[in-house]
Amino acid sequence: MSATPTTGSQTIGPYWHLLEEPEWADLTRFGATGELITLTGTIRDGDGALVTDACVEIWQASPPASDVFQGWGRARTDTDGRFSFRTLKPGPVPGRGNALQAPHIAITILARGILIAIHTRAYFAGEKQNELDPLLTMIEEPARRSTLIAEPTTPGVWNLDIRLQGEGETVFLDI
Amino acid sequence: MSDNPNDPVPFRPYVPDTQPLNDTPSYGSTHKRHPTQKLIRLPHTITETTGPRFSADKYGAIMDLSTAVGGQAIGERIIVHGTITDEDGRPVPHTMVEIWQANATGRYNHPGDTHDAPLDPHFFGKGRVYTDENGYYKFITIKPGAYPWGNHYNAWRPNHIHYSYFGPGFASRLITQMYFPGDPLLELDPIYQCIPDLAARERLVSKFDISITEPNWALGYRFDVVLRGRGATPMETN
Ligand SMILES: [Fe+2]
């Protein structure tokens, strides 16, 4: 069987909002129950300017997908460069080998000026498993590691600010 | 890290030069938006190998973009079809395809689009289809117009349709653009040109297809798409 490489990626551009369904930012909208949380944050570029036209998508393998919880959502960054999702707090999931991964949410960032999807993760401050997580333990500098860790602000609200480039640049993943 | 027979089969790494770099200086918007630190290579876990499932009962299909609000859009009506397979040629069945595009004048139905070209009350430019069990999809639209953009002096985007694909896992997500054969703007477009490998680039150009063209009604184009395959080739698993 001859192999054909994956089709090339192109930018999502500035007009992707034609696809937007605002309710997709609420992963609990089909009646999911569990520990409800808000995951929010801003996105900034290399100048520290807010990115106000991004498409942010999240995916979580925990809790397992079901009829009432799809585990996936999409949100825009607004005029304040902020995205916001309503979801369920994930639990730990298996890693490779016999490792356990700390609770996390996978994040995809798509925007004008981004030619191929940028990936990162949100972990949760204070989780005991963070210290043993295979990805977090791969990152030696504490300041870099902290770019993946959402902090609680008000009860049930977790904030993760993302910096695409420059000072405090977020750790991005080659998946 | 010890092996575990239950480890998920990872998606295959991209073939070199078939994907763009986010650091592409000819495309101005990349300058402040590309990461400069080395990406961390993450061996795939279930977070990367599994992904969302979409179906038409929750997210209804929009197969015909060429009519809206009880009227037909202005422009050249076209039929676009093709298959979605993985890198080994296996169909990707029942996967959602999202579609968006400018109207025939090159204007998006989007508040951010300030191009001085008319909107069309009968064209929204949004579609959503699903592949069948053989990875086949089809939709009807009008051919989008070219439009100017601010990247450099006299910059024009070639005619294109935007697509979003999911495939079987988080790591198989793909956003791309489909172009039209013979477009003189392709050669000048930094977004199209950002893919280094010529053959990979040319696969973004649809092919005119007389077999799907409907007499007295619409021209047909074919656009076949490949999503990531799994790490183990069929040979290795045998
Ligand atoms: Fe476009």
Side-chain angles (χ1 to χ4, degrees):
Chain A
M1 210 185 294
S2 70
T4 309
T6 304
T7 299
S9 174
Q10 298 270 272
T11 180
I12 202 167
Y15 305 127
W16 68 269
H17 304 88
L18 290 190
L19 294 186
E20 192 184 21
E21 309 280 355
E23 67 272 20
W24 289 15
D26 182 356
L27 286 70
T28 68
R29 67 191 180 282
F30 299 116
T33 53
E35 186 182 345
L36 290 175
I37 60 164
T38 296
L39 177 67
T40 184
T42 56
I43 302 183
R44 289 178 186 273
D45 70 10
D47 287 333
L50 294 163
V51 173
T52 58
D53 59 2
C55 171
V56 183
E57 295 178 350
I58 62 171
W59 162 248
Q60 53 192 93
S62 165
S66 68
D67 281 349
V68 294
F69 185 70
Q70 193 185 19
W72 181 90
R74 174 187 285 157
R76 66 161 74 194
T77 52
D78 61 16
T79 51
D80 297 319
R82 179 168 291 280
F83 62 86
S84 195
F85 293 95
R86 193 93 175 113
T87 187
L88 297 181
K89 184 130 184 276
V93 295
R96 294 190 76 80
N98 296 308
L100 192 65
Q101 302 186 83
H104 64 274
I105 293 176
I107 302 176
T108 302
I109 302 165
L110 301 157
R112 170 178 63 84
I114 294 175
L115 284 161
I116 183 163
I118 292 179
H119 300 289
T120 188
R121 282 185 174 185
Y123 287 86
F124 297 88
E127 288 285 344
K128 270 203 292 286
Q129 292 105 336
N130 285 352
E131 280 144 51
L132 296 171
D133 179 82
L135 171 61
L136 292 177
T137 53
M138 226 188 288
I139 306 163
E140 279 166 24
E141 278 178 69
R144 293 274 290 153
R145 202 181 310 133
S146 72
T147 67
L148 300 182
I149 300 178
E151 297 286 339
T153 53
T154 54
V157 179
W158 294 83
N159 189 81
L160 182 73
D161 291 332
I162 293 170
R163 179 78 184 241
L164 295 178
Q165 185 191 83
E167 196 186 329
E169 185 173 308
T170 295
V171 169
F172 295 110
L173 307 175
D174 175 8
I175 62 165
Chain B
M1 188 188 311
S2 55
D3 281 344
N4 181 327
N6 295 323
D7 280 347
V9 181
F11 285 99
R12 206 173 293 174
Y14 293 112
V15 174
D17 293 336
T18 62
Q19 296 293 333
L21 294 176
N22 274 321
D23 185 5
T24 294
S26 56
Y27 175 21
S29 295
T30 64
H31 297 176
K32 298 294 179 185
R33 291 186 170 192
H34 71 270
T36 54
Q37 304 266 352
K38 197 166 165 17
L39 305 185
I40 294 196
R41 214 182 74 71
L42 183 68
H44 290 179
T45 69
I46 60 165
T47 303
E48 289 72 38
T49 60
T50 62
R53 296 285 174 267
F54 301 92
S55 60
D57 59 333
K58 277 201 172 86
Y59 310 103
I62 307 168
M63 250 207 81
D64 184 355
L65 290 72
S66 74
T67 64
V69 219
Q72 297 200 38
I74 300 290
E76 185 183 343
R77 191 186 297 115
I78 61 173
I79 300 162
V80 182
H81 75 148
T83 57
I84 302 179
T85 56
D86 71 12
E87 290 170 281
D88 297 310
R90 296 186 193 92
V92 181
H94 311 300
T95 192
M96 182 170 77
V97 180
E98 296 175 295
I99 301 151
W100 72 106
Q101 64 169 88
N103 69 17
T105 74
R107 175 87 183 263
Y108 285 88
N109 181 29
H110 185 290
D113 187 356
T114 55
H115 176 34
D116 181 20
L119 284 167
D120 181 342
H122 299 303
F123 190 74
F124 297 145
K126 168 190 183 164
R128 186 189 294 132
V129 296
Y130 295 84
T131 57
D132 69 11
E133 63 277 15
N134 301 311
Y136 179 81
Y137 75 94
K138 177 175 144 179
F139 65 96
I140 298 155
T141 186
I142 51 98
K143 189 173 178 183
Y147 58 85
W149 62 312
N151 191 66
H152 54 273
Y153 173 71
N154 213 5
W156 291 79
R157 293 297 329 280
N159 308 66
H160 62 276
I161 296 178
H162 294 265
Y163 291 89
S164 142
Y165 307 95
F166 289 84
F170 178 70
S172 60
R173 185 102 175 83
L174 173 69
I175 305 290
T176 194
Q177 300 181 27
M178 178 196 102
Y179 301 94
F180 290 85
D183 191 331
L185 292 169
L186 288 172
E187 191 183 333
L188 304 171
D189 183 48
I191 295 180
Y192 173 68
Q193 294 291 339
C194 74
I195 294 171
D197 180 75
L198 177 66
R201 198 155 68 229
E202 289 181 341
R203 282 198 286 124
L204 296 185
V205 181
S206 59
K207 293 189 166 60
F208 171 66
D209 188 349
I210 191 71
S211 77
I212 190 90
T213 294
E214 290 207 17
N216 307 316
W217 197 69
L219 293 178
Y221 289 88
R222 184 167 188 103
F223 187 53
D224 294 326
V225 173
V226 179
L227 301 180
R228 287 173 86 176
R230 298 284 176 173
T233 64
M235 297 280 244
E236 284 164 346
T237 54
N238 284 341

